[in-house]
Amino acid sequence: MQSLHQKKYRQRHGAFLVEGGKSVMELLSSDLETEHVLLTAEFASQNREQLPAGLPLVVATEYELTQLGTLATNNTALAVARLPPEKALPPTLPESALLLALDEVRDPGNLGTLLRLADWYGLPGVVLSPGCADPYSPKTVAATMGAFARVHVWERDLAEWLPTLAGGVAVFGADLEGDNVHRLALRPSGVLVMGSESHGLAPAVEACLTRRLHIPRGASGGAESLNVAISAAILLDNFFRNQ
């Protein structure tokens, strides 16, 4: 299990770690395939009715769970799940729904929060550039708070994929020179592209934008910038405000 801390072994074995009681229970209630579950006797007793019948369970100590996983402490559960096969990304999807696309978002905590946002707003999925953090790393999975089990993820070179979208599909992106998002009547259709805090969007990706959105800073605000997940949350809220 410790080998699954590293991406190359996750890819080699086609599996990933899920740590903590909440995340493991989300896994067990999803369509993802579960290979192994280790849990403490106390957690097993507390959740006996929710544990699927026939699933092989191994009772372990808190020390054993902590040694096998990445959390500083784990007194509940740990599981090994199969990496889900990537489902087809319908080319017409952005015409009828809003997709979130992430360009070089390398921090697993930010990526996990963005996947959690996609889950909250019911987005059909998230498109990741090859430079993004691994959506199935332990840190990302933990940060999703269970969203990893529900949100579809696709990996695409955004500079190549975005130009293939049908004409008329809006491609939105954050820009200090963009339109004030608070003054717009947006609807959840198209693609919202978010880049890393340190580098923003790659020039080739930025060239694909059809509309630039700006989150105005308060009159007395002094922060230089917003965290990418916070920015995405504000923008998504404006897309869904009137739904």
Side-chain angles (χ1 to χ4, degrees):
M1 289 187 183
Q2 288 179 323
S3 66
L4 299 180
H5 297 187
Q6 300 180 50
K7 183 176 182 178
K8 64 179 180 180
Y9 292 111
R10 290 193 292 272
Q11 294 177 329
R12 181 179 300 177
H13 298 298
F16 67 103
L17 279 180
V18 179
E19 302 179 78
K22 173 178 172 51
S23 293
V24 169
M25 296 306 291
E26 293 279 8
L27 168 67
L28 296 179
S29 65
S30 74
D31 294 330
L32 296 177
E33 182 182 349
T34 303
E35 289 190 344
H36 308 289
V37 178
L38 283 73
L39 68 176
T40 62
E42 181 181 6
F43 186 78
S45 176
Q46 293 172 344
N47 296 275
R48 184 175 292 107
E49 294 183 0
Q50 287 75 42
L51 294 172
L55 182 69
L57 305 174
V58 176
V59 175
T61 65
E62 179 179 343
Y63 174 79
E64 290 170 328
L65 293 181
T66 302
Q67 288 297 107
L68 290 170
T70 65
L71 300 178
T73 59
N74 184 354
N75 61 2
T76 53
L78 178 151
V80 175
R82 299 297 302 171
L83 288 172
E86 183 179 290
K87 296 185 177 181
L89 174 55
T92 59
L93 188 55
E95 297 179 37
S96 58
L98 184 67
L99 282 176
L100 182 61
L102 305 179
D103 185 33
E104 302 283 337
V105 176
R106 299 175 182 176
D107 182 85
N110 281 337
L111 177 56
T113 302
L114 288 159
L115 294 175
R116 188 178 179 185
L117 281 169
D119 190 30
W120 178 262
Y121 285 102
L123 304 188
V126 179
V127 182
L128 307 179
S129 75
C132 284
D134 183 359
Y136 297 104
S137 75
K139 288 185 178 179
T140 304
V141 170
T144 69
M145 296 298 289
F148 74 91
R150 291 181 292 273
V151 177
H152 295 304
V153 174
W154 299 279
E155 185 175 302
R156 295 288 187 276
D157 183 315
L158 299 185
E160 295 180 359
W161 172 67
L162 290 170
T164 68
L165 299 178
V169 172
V171 180
F172 303 91
D175 191 306
L176 291 175
E177 304 301 322
D179 298 322
N180 185 335
V181 70
H182 296 158
R183 298 175 181 172
L184 302 176
L186 300 171
R187 62 186 184 89
S189 174
V191 182
L192 173 61
V193 187
M194 303 297 298
S196 70
E197 293 176 58
S198 54
H199 304 293
L201 297 177
V205 175
E206 186 176 8
C208 298
L209 300 182
T210 62
R211 188 154 198 183
R212 299 165 191 265
L213 307 176
H214 171 53
I215 301 170
R217 183 169 53 187
S220 58
E224 181 181 348
S225 63
L226 290 173
N227 171 280
V228 61
I230 293 175
S231 296
I234 294 171
L235 294 176
L236 286 170
D237 187 66
N238 278 274
F239 277 99
F240 286 90
R241 186 177 298 274
N242 298 315
Q243 298 303 303

